[in-house]
Amino acid sequence: MHRSPYETWLDIEFIDEFIVLPEHIALLRRGHVSWIGDDRNGAPGLSHKRPFGNSDVYADVASIVDGRQAGEYSNADKARYDRLFAECALVLQIVLETDSFEPGRYAQQGMPPRWQRIG
Protein backbone atom coordinates (compact mmCIF):
# COMPACT_ATOMS: atom_id res chain seq x y z
CA MET A 1 0.00 0.00 0.00
CA HIS A 2 1.33 3.41 -0.97
CA ARG A 3 1.87 5.65 2.03
CA SER A 4 2.26 9.40 1.98
CA PRO A 5 5.56 10.91 3.16
CA TYR A 6 3.74 12.21 6.23
CA GLU A 7 2.43 8.74 7.15
CA THR A 8 5.96 7.37 6.79
CA TRP A 9 7.30 10.18 8.97
CA LEU A 10 4.84 9.28 11.73
CA ASP A 11 6.20 5.70 11.65
CA ILE A 12 9.87 6.67 11.89
CA GLU A 13 9.84 9.86 13.95
CA PHE A 14 10.80 8.12 17.20
CA ILE A 15 13.00 5.24 16.05
CA ASP A 16 16.43 4.94 17.64
CA GLU A 17 18.38 3.25 14.82
CA PHE A 18 18.47 4.09 11.13
CA ILE A 19 20.52 3.44 7.99
CA VAL A 20 21.43 6.59 6.08
CA LEU A 21 21.65 5.84 2.36
CA PRO A 22 23.63 7.67 -0.32
CA GLU A 23 20.25 8.66 -1.79
CA HIS A 24 19.34 10.53 1.42
CA ILE A 25 22.59 12.46 1.31
CA ALA A 26 22.11 13.33 -2.37
CA LEU A 27 18.61 14.64 -1.65
CA LEU A 28 19.70 16.77 1.31
CA ARG A 29 22.56 18.24 -0.70
CA ARG A 30 19.98 19.47 -3.22
CA GLY A 31 17.53 20.70 -0.58
CA HIS A 32 15.98 24.12 -1.09
CA VAL A 33 15.99 25.83 2.31
CA SER A 34 13.52 28.56 3.16
CA TRP A 35 11.87 30.08 6.22
CA ILE A 36 8.87 28.00 7.30
CA GLY A 37 6.37 30.00 9.32
CA ASP A 38 5.83 33.71 9.79
CA ASP A 39 7.66 36.69 11.29
CA ARG A 40 6.95 35.57 14.88
CA ASN A 41 7.05 31.79 14.70
CA GLY A 42 9.01 29.60 12.39
CA ALA A 43 12.31 28.04 11.58
CA PRO A 44 14.53 27.27 8.60
CA GLY A 45 13.58 24.11 6.74
CA LEU A 46 13.09 22.57 3.34
CA SER A 47 10.60 24.51 1.29
CA HIS A 48 7.25 22.74 1.42
CA LYS A 49 6.47 23.86 -2.14
CA ARG A 50 9.85 23.23 -3.74
CA PRO A 51 11.91 21.01 -1.39
CA PHE A 52 14.47 20.16 -4.06
CA GLY A 53 14.14 23.27 -6.23
CA ASN A 54 11.12 22.54 -8.42
CA SER A 55 7.45 22.00 -7.69
CA ASP A 56 7.45 18.47 -9.17
CA VAL A 57 8.98 16.60 -6.23
CA TYR A 58 8.82 13.22 -7.98
CA ALA A 59 10.72 14.55 -11.01
CA ASP A 60 13.35 16.08 -8.73
CA VAL A 61 13.78 12.92 -6.66
CA ALA A 62 13.92 10.77 -9.83
CA SER A 63 16.64 13.03 -11.22
CA ILE A 64 18.65 13.22 -7.98
CA VAL A 65 18.60 9.56 -6.91
CA ASP A 66 18.18 7.73 -10.23
CA GLY A 67 19.51 10.18 -12.82
CA ARG A 68 16.20 10.20 -14.67
CA GLN A 69 14.74 13.03 -16.71
CA ALA A 70 11.41 14.67 -15.91
CA GLY A 71 8.54 12.25 -16.38
CA GLU A 72 10.76 9.16 -16.46
CA TYR A 73 9.35 7.62 -13.31
CA SER A 74 6.45 5.26 -12.78
CA ASN A 75 3.72 5.02 -10.18
CA ALA A 76 5.71 2.16 -8.64
CA ASP A 77 8.66 4.53 -8.16
CA LYS A 78 6.50 7.02 -6.26
CA ALA A 79 6.31 4.84 -3.12
CA ARG A 80 10.11 4.65 -2.95
CA TYR A 81 10.46 8.38 -3.59
CA ASP A 82 7.89 9.23 -0.91
CA ARG A 83 9.73 7.08 1.62
CA LEU A 84 13.12 8.63 0.80
CA PHE A 85 11.58 12.08 1.02
CA ALA A 86 10.02 11.38 4.43
CA GLU A 87 13.24 9.85 5.74
CA CYS A 88 15.10 13.07 4.88
CA ALA A 89 13.64 14.65 8.03
CA LEU A 90 15.29 11.99 10.18
CA VAL A 91 18.51 12.10 8.15
CA LEU A 92 18.68 15.88 8.54
CA GLN A 93 18.59 15.43 12.32
CA ILE A 94 21.31 12.78 12.08
CA VAL A 95 23.68 14.86 9.93
CA LEU A 96 23.21 17.90 12.16
CA GLU A 97 23.94 15.94 15.34
CA THR A 98 26.88 13.96 13.93
CA ASP A 99 28.38 16.70 11.75
CA SER A 100 28.65 14.08 9.01
CA PHE A 101 27.10 13.54 5.62
CA GLU A 102 28.25 9.92 5.44
CA PRO A 103 25.96 7.00 4.68
CA GLY A 104 25.92 4.28 7.31
CA ARG A 105 24.12 2.91 10.35
CA TYR A 106 23.29 5.39 13.09
CA ALA A 107 21.77 4.93 16.55
CA GLN A 108 20.66 7.18 19.36
CA GLN A 109 22.95 6.69 22.34
CA GLY A 110 23.64 8.35 25.68
CA MET A 111 21.56 10.62 27.85
CA PRO A 112 20.10 12.67 26.44
CA PRO A 113 20.03 10.42 23.38
CA ARG A 114 22.08 11.74 20.46
CA TRP A 115 22.62 10.20 17.05
CA GLN A 116 26.00 8.50 16.60
CA ARG A 117 27.43 6.46 13.75
CA ILE A 118 27.68 2.78 14.68
CA GLY A 119 28.66 1.21 11.40
Side-chain angles (χ1 to χ4, degrees), residues 44-89:
L46 291 181
S47 167
H48 66 281
K49 291 184 180 179
R50 300 172 185 276
F52 304 110
N54 295 301
S55 60
D56 186 343
V57 175
Y58 292 118
D60 281 351
V61 175
S63 172
I64 295 165
V65 304
D66 292 330
R68 297 179 180 172
Q69 299 299 315
E72 290 183 354
Y73 57 87
S74 69
N75 284 335
D77 294 319
K78 287 183 178 183
R80 176 174 165 246
Y81 296 160
D82 281 340
R83 180 156 188 87
L84 287 169
F85 182 32
E87 291 170 345
C88 279

Side-chain angles (χ1 to χ4, degrees), residues 102-115:
E102 285 194 42
R105 182 177 297 276
Y106 292 80
Q108 289 200 41
Q109 298 178 340
M111 287 309 267
R114 304 292 288 176
W115 287 102

